[in-house]
Amino acid sequence: MALLQGGFTADDLDHTQLEILAACLESSMRLGNGLVAFAPGLVPDADDTSQAIKVLRLLGKPTPIQPMIAEFEAPDHFKTYAFERDPSFSANCNVLISLLSDENQLGEHRVHIQKTIAFLRDTWWNSDQKILDKWVRNTMSSRTLFRPRG
């Protein structure tokens, strides 16, 4: 999906394969009532759901974000799993990216965007530049997700 984010269009790439990918993701989202998991039959999570939303939107498929918000929103961050105790920096980075992926809904999700930014900012500030994430062992991976894109 980095190619689509980098300016390539579906026509520049293998359009047929992208449609197959979109159909697979749409089916998973439909079966999970707007949520997806790492693999069929597993518990849905915010990380994979946010990635699926981002990919579908890049492919021009309008995808609602409300099920993800309803399932994973916590008072000051987004949980990776509904039953999770400790937040994940990388999952919140991906949630933020999906919240920002539809410019027409930025105002509607302002509170969620601000909450996620505050969580990421505070985590970064308190980490002394080494962000430890339970899902990503390499501290550079989390920092890469958080870097500004231009």
Side-chain angles (χ1 to χ4, degrees), residues 12-101:
D12 296 329
L13 306 170
D14 186 340
H15 195 274
T16 304
Q17 294 300 314
L18 292 175
E19 284 300 319
I20 292 170
L21 172 64
C24 178
L25 288 173
E26 287 176 315
S27 174
S28 293
M29 293 287 279
R30 197 171 32 261
L31 289 171
N33 296 315
L35 306 172
V36 296
F38 176 71
L42 297 179
V43 177
D45 64 86
D47 210 12
D48 292 307
T49 299
S50 63
Q51 293 281 3
I53 290 168
K54 179 182 76 171
V55 169
L56 286 167
R57 288 179 173 178
L58 281 170
L59 293 173
K61 310 287 184 184
T63 307
I65 201 165
Q66 197 56 40
M68 180 184 75
I69 293 169
E71 183 72 14
F72 302 113
E73 184 178 18
D76 64 350
H77 65 279
F78 280 85
K79 300 177 281 186
T80 306
Y81 291 96
F83 52 82
E84 182 177 56
R85 291 181 314 186
D86 302 317
S88 162
F89 186 87
S90 61
N92 277 269
C93 284
N94 287 320
V95 166
L96 179 60
I97 291 167
S98 69
L99 288 166
L100 297 172
S101 69

